[in-house]
Amino acid sequence: MSQSRETIELSPRAQHLLRTLVQCYISDGRPVGSRSLVKASGLSVSSATVRNVMAELEELGYVCSPHTSAGRQPTDKGYRFFVDTLLSARSWDTDQFDALELRLEAGGRTDELLGSASHLLSGLTRYAGVVTLPRQDLRALRHVEFLPLSGNRVLAIVVLNESDVENRVIETDRPYQESELRTLSNYLNAQFSGWDVQRVRQSLVEAMREDRERMDQLMQTAFEMGEKVFNDEETGEDCVVAGETNLMALSELSDLDKLRELFRAFNEKRDMLHLLDRCLSAEGVQIFIGREAGYRVFDGCSLVTARYAMEGQPVGVLGVIGPTRMAYQRVIPIVDMTAQLLGAALNQTR
């Protein structure tokens, strides 16, 4: 992410003081006064000089003062300056990378690895960790099997790629016998085994729309059942979230109404998925600070993301959601490293 022209035009002293102010505020959460800033910055300047620089930064929108007599704290724009300077100079810690690699080893199922990555992000950062499932158009159907449940419900066991198993409960218009379901699954497997999921879904939708009157009863029932299993709601990109309750302990997000909105967003996932989907086409670490996300529910929050790849192709996004007063210097490399390691583990699992 490039710095704005306004940022570049800040004097080196102003940039240094702004960077120091953000670091101090992230560290203790209190507005920073001019005397404290002089001491923390290591510059040989007076408090009066610092106050003048802060007034300039406040006028430009980088800092604000919560009270007339209080010190300053960074705005979203101030955090953006801080993050952009971090991104240009970030580096991985080799020991930390090795430790993460041990905790995200290949060998498990895809859903287990995604869950491990989400919990790993949450545990290391103490924020909420999120990982999107690999894009469905890169997942091949191997086998589907139906089992009867109580009432008008059927369990669909879907095998994707070589060993990924997903269970989905679908509602039907009547009870089905096990023998009927076996016939339906055999038909769908004969028609679609080896196809990618997106192609299966599109074929079912088009067939049901165009050829319903020409289908025999078996084909119509099988396609209706398949459409329930592979519809957009069930197979659209989803995500695994861990550590949402970590956010409850943060003073910045302690407002109950704010927390309710956030937890609703975690449960519904729609806005979150739209935001993460924007990151899939972008290289490197992406950071949304406050209103940059474009969704009101994320005001006061930051989202740090990176995409992960399988066989050289980006297929999903992972990240961390926390307050704007986030320890970016620590979170950014954790997210970056976890994305690299998750992709490597998934490639070994395939």
Side-chain angles (χ1 to χ4, degrees):
M1 297 183 182
S2 61
Q3 297 178 2
S4 67
R5 179 181 176 185
E6 199 173 67
T7 302
I8 295 172
E9 290 178 349
L10 290 178
S11 69
R13 182 170 62 187
Q15 293 192 37
H16 180 76
L17 287 170
L18 177 55
R19 190 180 301 110
T20 303
L21 181 142
V22 176
Q23 289 172 328
C24 291
Y25 188 74
I26 287 175
S27 177
D28 61 25
R30 293 194 298 269
V32 186
S34 56
R35 290 183 181 178
S36 298
L37 195 52
V38 169
K39 184 177 180 180
S41 69
L43 296 177
S44 298
V45 293
S46 67
S47 295
T49 299
V50 170
R51 283 194 293 271
N52 290 335
V53 173
M54 289 299 105
E56 177 187 353
L57 291 174
E58 186 167 5
E59 186 177 345
L60 292 172
Y62 289 101
V63 300
C64 65
S65 181
H67 308 291
T68 304
S69 59
R72 266 96 171 178
Q73 64 189 50
T75 61
D76 288 354
K77 185 176 180 180
Y79 283 122
R80 169 52 58 193
F81 160 80
F82 182 73
V83 162
D84 286 347
T85 59
L86 272 182
L87 287 176
S88 64
R90 76 184 189 279
S91 61
W92 286 357
D93 181 284
T94 303
D95 292 338
Q96 190 178 42
F97 186 89
D98 292 341
L100 280 172
E101 189 171 27
L102 289 174
R103 298 175 63 177
L104 198 61
E105 295 180 348
R109 300 199 316 257
T110 295
D111 59 339
E112 293 174 338
L113 283 170
L114 299 180
S116 295
S118 182
H119 282 89
L120 184 60
L121 289 167
S122 171
L124 290 173
T125 64
R126 307 310 303 166
Y127 302 133
V130 57
V131 183
T132 66
L133 273 62
R135 289 179 59 132
Q136 301 294 342
D137 56 352
L138 300 175
R139 305 170 80 198
L141 174 66
R142 297 304 175 195
H143 183 79
V144 60
E145 182 177 350
F146 298 116
L147 295 176
L149 299 175
S150 60
N152 294 357
R153 298 188 308 151
V154 170
L155 173 65
I157 303 172
V158 183
V159 181
L160 303 170
N161 296 330
E162 298 302 323
S163 60
D164 295 340
V165 180
E166 295 183 5
N167 297 326
R168 301 167 189 166
V169 176
I170 58 177
E171 299 287 339
T172 59
D173 56 0
R174 66 174 178 85
Y176 280 86
Q177 299 295 318
E178 189 170 349
S179 58
E180 293 180 277
L181 294 175
R182 188 181 307 114
T183 300
L184 295 175
S185 61
N186 287 341
Y187 183 88
L188 289 172
N189 289 327
Q191 291 288 320
F192 301 114
S193 181
W195 289 30
D196 67 78
V197 173
Q198 185 178 28
R199 185 183 172 200
V200 173
R201 182 167 60 246
Q202 290 173 342
S203 179
L204 289 168
V205 170
E206 291 172 3
M208 294 300 295
R209 183 188 304 122
E210 298 173 3
D211 301 326
R212 190 185 297 267
E213 64 279 1
R214 296 200 297 270
M215 294 181 181
D216 59 31
Q217 188 59 47
L218 171 62
M219 181 186 295
Q220 183 170 331
T221 305
F223 277 30
E224 287 175 352
M225 191 76 77
E227 189 178 16
K228 290 177 184 284
V229 175
F230 298 107
N231 65 37
D232 286 334
E233 181 179 357
E234 292 293 336
T235 60
E237 288 187 310
D238 203 354
C239 60
V240 180
V241 182
E244 306 98 302
T245 54
N246 288 337
L247 303 181
M248 297 175 66
L250 302 171
S251 59
E252 300 89 338
L253 302 177
S254 60
D255 180 78
L256 288 179
D257 290 337
K258 177 65 177 177
L259 280 174
R260 287 193 192 99
E261 286 189 44
L262 269 177
F263 278 94
R264 190 179 300 117
F266 286 134
N267 288 330
E268 296 178 356
K269 298 181 180 178
R270 184 172 54 250
D271 290 345
M272 194 184 311
L273 286 169
H274 289 164
L275 182 56
L276 293 171
D277 187 56
R278 288 157 55 185
C279 304
L280 191 59
S281 59
E283 295 184 6
V285 175
Q286 301 298 305
I287 301 173
F288 298 89
I289 299 173
R291 296 184 180 181
E292 291 178 355
Y295 298 97
R296 187 176 58 83
V297 70
F298 293 119
D299 287 359
C301 297
S302 285
L303 176 63
V304 181
T305 73
R307 63 186 187 182
Y308 65 89
M310 297 172 66
E311 298 180 355
Q313 295 298 317
V315 295
V317 175
L318 57 76
V320 165
I321 299 173
T324 52
R325 191 177 75 86
M326 177 186 288
Y328 297 99
Q329 197 155 356
R330 186 169 58 87
V331 171
I332 290 170
I334 288 174
V335 170
D336 200 4
M337 286 188 285
T338 304
Q340 301 294 326
L341 292 171
L342 177 60
L346 289 170
N347 281 323
Q348 293 178 45
T349 300
R350 286 177 68 85

